[in-house]
Amino acid sequence: MNKPRPTIRDVAALAGVSHQTVSRVINESERVNPETRARVEAAIEELSFVPNAIARSMAQGRTFNLACFSPNLIDYTFAQIIEAAESEVRQHGYFLFACAAPDESSFAALWEQMVEKRRVDGIIVINPYMDGRHTFMNPNFPTVIIGSNPRGDHYSAVNLDNKGGGVEATRHLLSLGHQRLATITGPLAEDVSRDRLNGFQAALQASGYEVKPDQIVEGDWSATSGYRAFQVLWESYHPTAIFAQNDRMAIGVIRAARDAGLRVPEDLSVIGFDDMPLASYFDPPLTTLRQDMMENGREAARLLLESIEQPDTEPGYRMLSTQIVIRNTTQKLNDTERR
Amino acid sequence: MNKPRPTIRDVAALAGVSHQTVSRVINESERVNPETRARVEAAIEELSFVPNAIARSMAQGRTFNLACFSPNLIDYTFAQIIEAAESEVRQHGYFLFACAAPDESSFAALWEQMVEKRRVDGIIVINPYMDGRHTFMNPNFPTVIIGSNPRGDHYSAVNLDNKGGGVEATRHLLSLGHQRLATITGPLAEDVSRDRLNGFQAALQASGYEVKPDQIVEGDWSATSGYRAFQVLWESYHPTAIFAQNDRMAIGVIRAARDAGLRVPEDLSVIGFDDMPLASYFDPPLTTLRQDMMENGREAARLLLESIEQPDTEPGYRMLSTQIVIRNTTQKLNDTERR
DNA sequence: ATGAAAGCGCTAACAA
DNA sequence: TTGTTAGCGCTTTCAT
C-alpha cells in the first residue's frame, strides 16, 4: 500500500548526480551549479521526494525539537505560554513537545525521555522547584525557566515582576483608604506565591503597617480555595480589602463574601491577579493585575533558541512587568461602615 | 565541556560483549544469558549510558512521536483534549507535539513538516475542515479527527453528540414553557456549529414549531459575538429563551440582556454549551451542556495508537454524549410577562 | 545465546 | 562545483 519513500539516492540517480549534490540542493548550499540544481529539483519534484527529518537529526546530532514541561496544559496562563512559545520556535524551524509534569517524578521521567535520550535540543520548564531537588537538571543543557527564580544564574529565565505586582495591588488598596488588608496566596512552595506575598508585605510595611499572620491565608489557586480562605480570614481578621493572588481565588472570595451577606465592593474590595479571560464578565467586573503570558512564552522561546544557537552566551534573564486593570471590585473605603 | 555520550559500543567494549548484545539488553530481549545481562547492566550503569532515541528511530523507521494539530492551544476545550491525549500517549511510550494550526496554510505546513518529513508516526487533528479542501491529507497515514465529521469513513474520529446536545438544550427550554426560542451558533463553516443547529431545529420541529431565519444568528464563539448577537436577536425576534452554542457567547448574551434592561432568568432564559471552568461562578450560575473533552482526547489517543500498532484495523469512530447541567440562567416562562 | 555484517537516510570532511 | 568515503548510534538479518 505505502510504497517505500524515495531517498536522496533515488533522486541522485534520477538526476544523474551524486547524493551529496542532492543534499546540497535541499540544504540550499550556494555551491551548486544552477543547471545541476535545476535537474535535481526536477527529480525531487518528479519523485515527490521529501527529506527525512530523522535521518537529518541523526547525521547532525540535533533534532530541532524542543519540549516544554508544564505543571499542566490546561490552565490559561500555562496554555498561553505554550502557545506563544510554540509559535515562536516554529517560526525558527523548531517544534515543541508539550508535556505535563505535575509532580517531581513525572518531571524526572520526562527529563530522561526528552533530554537524556536526546529527543530534544532544549527545554522550557514552567514553575519548577528551583530549591535543588531536581538534581538531574544540568546547567549545560539548554534550558529556560519560567516562573521560578533560578538560584545561582545557571539557567536562563523569564519571570513576571511578581513582587512588583504584589506591591502595586496592595498600594491600590491602600490608596483607596483601606487599612485592614489581607491576602490569599498560592501554594507557598512556589516562588510566584512568595514573591507576590513579599510585595504585599513590603507595601504594607512601607506604609507603616505591621503584617500579622492572620492577614495571610494560603490557597491553592482554585476558586474553592479562595472561597474557604475568605471564610478563615473573615473569622480571624475582618478585612475590608483582599488581595487574592490569582483571579480564580478572587472569584471564590467574591462568592464567599456574598454568601456571608457582604456586598462587593461596598463592603469588601477584592483584587485578583492574571486578568483571566472573561474577568470583565464576572459580576462585578474584576479588578486585577494583567500579566502578558504570551510575551512570557515568546521571550522564553527566544532565550532558548539563543542558548542553542550561540552556546557560549551567558544565561539570559528577563523580568516582565504587570499592569493593573481597575474594574469594579475595588472601591474607596466607606468611612461610615469602617469596622 | 560536554564529553561525548557513551554509545552502545562503549558499553559493549566495557562489558566485553558485542554491541548487539547490549542492544538486546536495552530492548529487554529474552535471549540473553543472565550473567551477560548483569555484566552489560553494570557497564551501562558505570558509563551512565542512555540509549539515543533518534538513532533508534532511524533504525526502526518509527519515531514514537505524535502530533496534535489544533486551531489553538489556549481555548479550554482544545487544551483539555491536548492534555488528555498527551497523558494517554505518554503512558504508552509516545510523545506529543502540540501544534497550533489556525488556518489552512499552517495546517499544510505542519503536514509537510510533521508527516511528510517523518517526524511523527501519527496525528490527531482537532476541528479540521473535512470538506475536501485538505487535499494533502492521506488516509493511509494514521490520523484521528476530533470535532469534525469525517466524510467517507477514511479516518478514525471522535466527536461529541452535538446534534443530541442541541436537541437536549432546546427541549429543556421548551419544557420550561418557552415558545420564542433563538440560537446563536458558532461559525457555520464548522461541523460542530451545524450539528448543534440541526439539533435546535429538529427539536423545535418535533414540537410543531417552524424555524425561521431570524431565530438564528451566527457568532464566532467569543463573548463579544454573543453580546452582539443578542442585540440582533432582540431587535428582530424578541426571544424569551436563547440557546448559545458555547458558554462564552452565553455570557455575552447575559451581559447584553442586562444592558438592555432585562433580567436573567426572569425575562430571558439562557443556556450555554461546554460547562467551562467557573461556569458556576458567573452571575447567575450558568445552565449549560457539559462535554467531557478529556475523554474526547483520551479516546482519540487510543484510536490513534491502535491504528499505529494494528495498521490493518478499520478506522474507529466514537461519539460521546453530553450532559445537561441545570443551574440558574433558565427558568419557567413567566406567563404574565409573556410577550 | 551471541556475534558479524549490513543497513536506516542523511551530512561532514576531504578529494578531485 | 562535484563526487567519494565515512560515519551518526542504533536495529535487523543471518550466521555461528
Side-chain angles (χ1 to χ4, degrees):
Chain A
M1 198 129 196
N2 283 323
K3 342 179 174 173
R5 292 304 210 79
T7 75
I8 207 177
R9 286 169 207 273
D10 298 324
V11 175
L14 183 59
V17 297
S18 81
H19 70 276
Q20 182 48 238
T21 301
V22 178
S23 172
R24 288 196 184 95
V25 169
I26 62 186
N27 286 296
E28 285 161 4
S29 161
E30 302 300 316
R31 316 184 155 280
V32 198
N33 181 311
E35 283 176 27
T36 338
R37 150 164 285 137
R39 280 218 314 288
V40 170
E41 281 168 347
I44 287 176
E45 180 73 17
E46 184 172 343
L47 297 175
S48 308
F49 166 79
V50 183
N52 179 317
I54 300 301
R56 174 178 295 194
S57 297
M58 179 83 192
Q60 292 189 145
R62 56 188 297 196
T63 63
F64 292 93
N65 294 157
L66 307 172
C68 180
F69 301 166
S70 173
N72 66 62
L73 313 180
I74 295 181
D75 272 0
Y76 184 73
T77 46
F78 303 147
Q80 271 186 304
I81 292 173
I82 296 168
E83 160 135 351
E86 195 264 338
S87 154
E88 182 74 21
V89 304
R90 192 129 59 85
Q91 282 173 31
H92 295 265
Y94 287 78
F95 301 91
L96 189 74
F97 287 107
C99 308
D103 50 45
E104 288 183 68
S105 70
S106 45
F107 187 178
L110 279 170
W111 177 273
E112 168 91 6
Q113 289 294 330
M114 289 288 160
V115 180
E116 299 293 348
K117 294 201 173 172
R118 317 257 107 178
R119 237 178 271 265
V120 298
D121 299 338
I123 56 173
I124 294 173
V125 190
I126 303 178
N127 281 8
Y129 293 107
M130 293 305 289
D131 51 11
R133 71 180 77 177
H134 295 313
T135 49
F136 49 84
M137 281 184 73
N138 173 1
N140 293 130
F141 187 79
T143 303
V144 176
I145 305 295
I146 296 184
S148 300
N149 308 321
R151 323 297 199 249
D153 293 336
H154 294 313
Y155 300 99
S156 288
V158 185
N159 212 341
L160 282 180
D161 182 7
N162 285 302
K163 181 170 179 186
V167 167
E168 193 166 4
T170 310
R171 277 204 194 131
H172 170 64
L173 264 14
L174 288 169
S175 76
L176 261 18
H178 291 277
Q179 305 194 4
R180 300 190 63 77
L181 306 198
T183 189
I184 302 171
T185 72
L188 287 170
E190 297 180 25
D191 285 344
V192 198
S193 310
R194 287 200 301 270
D195 290 345
R196 290 177 191 176
L197 176 58
N198 285 341
F200 175 78
Q201 292 170 319
L204 242 29
Q205 282 157 4
S207 293
Y209 295 97
E210 207 183 327
V211 182
K212 297 185 199 126
D214 55 359
Q215 289 172 260
I216 303 167
V217 174
E218 181 177 1
D220 65 7
W221 303 124
S222 71
T224 314
S225 78
Y227 190 99
R228 291 211 199 93
F230 169 80
Q231 297 175 320
V232 173
L233 283 173
W234 188 245
E235 186 73 24
S236 65
Y237 187 72
H238 265 252
T240 65
I242 292 179
F243 163 38
Q245 285 193 357
N246 79 346
D247 286 350
R248 288 208 298 275
M249 296 194 296
I251 298 296
V253 167
I254 293 169
R255 168 66 54 90
R258 289 242 172 99
D259 288 354
L262 301 179
R263 292 163 304 164
V264 174
E266 292 83 350
D267 303 322
L268 180 76
S269 282
V270 179
I271 184 169
F273 206 115
D274 279 355
D275 197 26
M276 58 179 249
L278 303 188
S280 67
Y281 279 89
F282 282 91
D283 178 51
L286 193 65
T287 295
T288 188
L289 283 146
R290 175 176 301 161
Q291 43 180 336
D292 189 345
M293 297 317 265
M294 300 288 275
E295 181 58 21
N296 221 325
R298 240 177 272 125
E299 198 56 46
R302 288 190 204 109
L303 284 173
L304 183 56
L305 295 178
E306 194 178 300
S307 76
I308 288 170
E309 291 176 355
Q310 292 130 40
D312 295 327
T313 44
E314 293 291 297
Y317 185 74
R318 301 274 185 287
M319 178 141 96
L320 274 45
S321 61
T322 57
Q323 188 195 343
I324 194 164
V325 181
I326 299 176
R327 297 202 183 92
N328 309 335
T329 53
T330 52
Q331 76 167 33
K332 271 216 170 2
L333 182 60
N334 184 339
D335 275 286
T336 64
E337 301 192 35
R338 183 175 289 171
R339 282 166 290 263
Chain B
M1 196 128 196
N2 283 325
K3 340 178 175 173
R5 293 306 211 79
T7 75
I8 207 177
R9 285 168 210 275
D10 299 323
V11 175
L14 183 60
V17 296
S18 80
H19 69 275
Q20 180 47 240
T21 302
V22 178
S23 171
R24 287 197 185 93
V25 169
I26 63 187
N27 286 295
E28 287 163 3
S29 157
E30 302 301 316
R31 317 185 153 279
V32 200
N33 182 311
E35 284 177 29
T36 336
R37 150 163 285 136
R39 281 216 314 289
V40 171
E41 280 168 349
I44 288 175
E45 181 72 17
E46 183 171 343
L47 297 176
S48 310
F49 166 78
V50 182
N52 180 317
I54 299 301
R56 175 177 294 193
S57 297
M58 178 82 195
Q60 293 188 144
R62 58 188 296 197
T63 63
F64 292 93
N65 295 158
L66 307 172
C68 180
F69 301 166
S70 172
N72 66 64
L73 312 180
I74 295 180
D75 273 358
Y76 184 71
T77 46
F78 303 148
Q80 272 186 304
I81 292 173
I82 296 168
E83 161 135 349
E86 195 265 337
S87 156
E88 182 73 22
V89 303
R90 192 129 59 85
Q91 284 174 30
H92 295 265
Y94 287 77
F95 301 91
L96 189 74
F97 287 108
C99 308
D103 50 45
E104 288 183 66
S105 72
S106 44
F107 187 179
L110 278 171
W111 176 273
E112 169 91 6
Q113 290 294 330
M114 289 289 159
V115 180
E116 299 292 349
K117 294 199 173 174
R118 317 256 108 178
R119 237 177 271 264
V120 298
D121 299 338
I123 56 172
I124 293 173
V125 190
I126 303 178
N127 280 8
Y129 292 107
M130 293 305 289
D131 52 10
R133 70 181 77 177
H134 294 314
T135 49
F136 49 85
M137 280 184 74
N138 173 1
N140 294 130
F141 187 78
T143 303
V144 175
I145 306 296
I146 296 184
S148 300
N149 307 322
R151 323 296 198 249
D153 294 334
H154 294 313
Y155 300 99
S156 289
V158 184
N159 212 341
L160 282 180
D161 182 7
N162 285 302
K163 181 171 178 187
V167 167
E168 193 166 5
T170 310
R171 277 202 194 133
H172 170 63
L173 264 15
L174 287 170
S175 75
L176 261 20
H178 291 277
Q179 305 193 4
R180 299 191 64 80
L181 306 197
T183 189
I184 302 171
T185 73
L188 288 171
E190 297 181 24
D191 285 344
V192 196
S193 309
R194 286 201 301 269
D195 290 346
R196 291 179 190 175
L197 177 58
N198 285 341
F200 175 78
Q201 292 170 320
L204 242 29
Q205 282 157 5
S207 293
Y209 295 96
E210 208 182 327
V211 183
K212 296 185 200 125
D214 54 0
Q215 289 172 261
I216 302 167
V217 174
E218 181 177 2
D220 65 7
W221 302 125
S222 72
T224 315
S225 78
Y227 191 99
R228 291 212 200 92
F230 170 80
Q231 296 175 319
V232 173
L233 244 22
W234 188 245
E235 186 73 26
S236 66
Y237 187 73
H238 264 249
T240 65
I242 292 180
F243 164 38
Q245 286 193 355
N246 79 346
D247 286 351
R248 288 208 299 275
M249 296 195 296
I251 299 297
V253 167
I254 294 169
R255 170 64 56 87
R258 289 244 171 98
D259 289 354
L262 302 179
R263 293 162 303 164
V264 175
E266 293 83 350
D267 303 322
L268 180 76
S269 282
V270 179
I271 183 168
F273 206 116
D274 280 356
D275 198 25
M276 58 180 252
L278 302 188
S280 66
Y281 280 88
F282 282 91
D283 179 49
L286 193 63
T287 295
T288 188
L289 283 147
R290 175 176 300 160
Q291 44 179 334
D292 189 345
M293 297 318 263
M294 299 288 274
E295 181 57 24
N296 221 326
R298 241 176 272 125
E299 198 55 48
R302 287 189 205 112
L303 284 173
L304 184 56
L305 295 178
E306 193 178 302
S307 76
I308 289 171
E309 292 176 355
Q310 291 130 40
D312 294 326
T313 44
E314 293 291 299
Y317 185 73
R318 301 272 185 288
M319 178 140 96
L320 275 45
S321 59
T322 57
Q323 187 194 344
I324 193 163
V325 180
I326 299 176
R327 297 201 183 92
N328 309 335
T329 52
T330 50
Q331 75 167 35
K332 272 218 166 11
L333 181 60
N334 185 340
D335 275 286
T336 63
E337 300 192 37
R338 184 175 287 170
R339 282 166 291 264

